[in-house]
Amino acid sequence: MVSVIIPVYNVRPFLCESLNSVINQTYKNIEIIIVDDGSTDGSGEICDEYQQKDERIIVIHQENKGLSAARNSGLDAMHGDIVAFLDSDDAFLPEFIQIMVSSMLKTSVDIVMCGYYSCHTENRMTVSCSYNQNTPRHRIYSPNQVLNKMMKDEMNMFVWNKVYSSKLFSSLRFPSGYVYEDMLLLPLIIEKAKRILTINTALVFYRKRIDSISATFSEKSLRDWFYAIKEREKFVANRTPSVFSEYLRE
């Protein structure tokens, strides 16, 4: 089983496209955990409507605690052997889970990363969106190699274009209260993995919104960004000094 965790907060105009992209996956053995993080725009009601349509959907309603806390609630509730994350204004291509899970099982890796399309639109996303090139070619990496590429910004730090063995999250959760929580958690997850596979096929539509959390400029978001970078470098320097030394040389 694959658990798909979808945090939701005031995304009514985009939510149906996102949820439809999951329930229409060609891979059917999934549970869809939707965490309504205190939405006030009717998004929570849409989640409940979808739960009535599809028995694979689990809806959790909670007071607003932020993106990390919403994802953590999904992790606490999941039953899958594999887990994927989808932001509620983005969408999967229909074969996302099928290709990712098949690749994971075929190569016996703990994480699979794919390419994605960047979509600058408030309307329905399509394959006319631009393909993002920041995904390495199809190959298997060690954790040290992935950390090295992330340090040099040759590999992205998003959680939503990857699938993971659920065991990687057995003792780890997203840090609450930070904007760039992906950058803080991913190095810890990667360190626990034995091998990571990258495939350069684009399988996710990523909506770039000017009012998104990460795109909205504020003193806090800027402070969190610098903090995330510093913590990432500190982690790599302390845990895998050979990687950090190579990063500094280049």
Side-chain angles (χ1 to χ4, degrees), residues 28-177:
K28 301 302 182 184
N29 187 21
I30 61 177
E31 65 172 5
I32 305 164
I33 304 175
I34 307 172
V35 184
D36 170 33
D37 190 41
S39 296
T40 58
D41 68 342
S43 293
E45 287 77 5
I46 293 176
C47 296
D48 291 336
E49 291 172 7
Y50 271 81
Q51 185 178 33
Q52 296 301 315
K53 299 176 184 177
D54 196 317
E55 61 182 10
R56 300 173 298 174
I57 293 178
I58 301 167
V59 176
I60 300 171
H61 295 284
Q62 64 183 36
E63 64 181 36
N64 181 246
K65 300 177 182 178
L67 178 57
S68 290
R71 285 175 173 162
N72 290 339
S73 293
L75 288 169
D76 292 341
M78 72 175 179
H79 302 92
D81 308 293
I82 297 170
V83 60
F85 300 92
L86 178 65
D87 288 349
S88 50
D89 55 352
D90 298 340
F92 290 151
L93 270 72
E95 63 276 19
F96 169 81
I97 295 179
Q98 183 72 55
I99 292 176
M100 298 288 271
V101 170
S102 175
S103 299
M104 174 177 277
L105 298 178
K106 184 177 180 179
T107 56
S108 298
V109 298
D110 293 318
I111 301 173
V112 181
M113 177 195 308
C114 70
Y116 62 92
Y117 294 101
S118 294
C119 305
H120 298 264
T121 179
E122 297 293 303
N123 300 311
R124 184 173 177 81
M125 294 179 288
T126 68
V127 291
S128 63
C129 299
S130 60
Y131 175 70
N132 190 287
Q133 300 292 333
N134 192 25
T135 302
R137 59 189 176 86
H138 189 107
R139 64 165 291 182
I140 294 175
Y141 293 90
S142 69
N144 279 15
Q145 289 172 320
V146 170
L147 288 170
N148 181 271
K149 286 188 171 294
M150 286 183 171
M151 290 291 293
K152 296 186 288 186
D153 291 324
E154 295 177 359
M155 196 174 287
N156 67 70
M157 301 278 295
F158 307 132
V159 298
W160 43 257
N161 68 327
K162 303 170 180 66
V163 298
Y164 312 80
S165 171
S166 296
K167 64 185 180 183
L168 297 178
F169 290 89
S170 61
S171 60
L172 292 174
R173 291 294 185 267
F174 289 90
S176 296

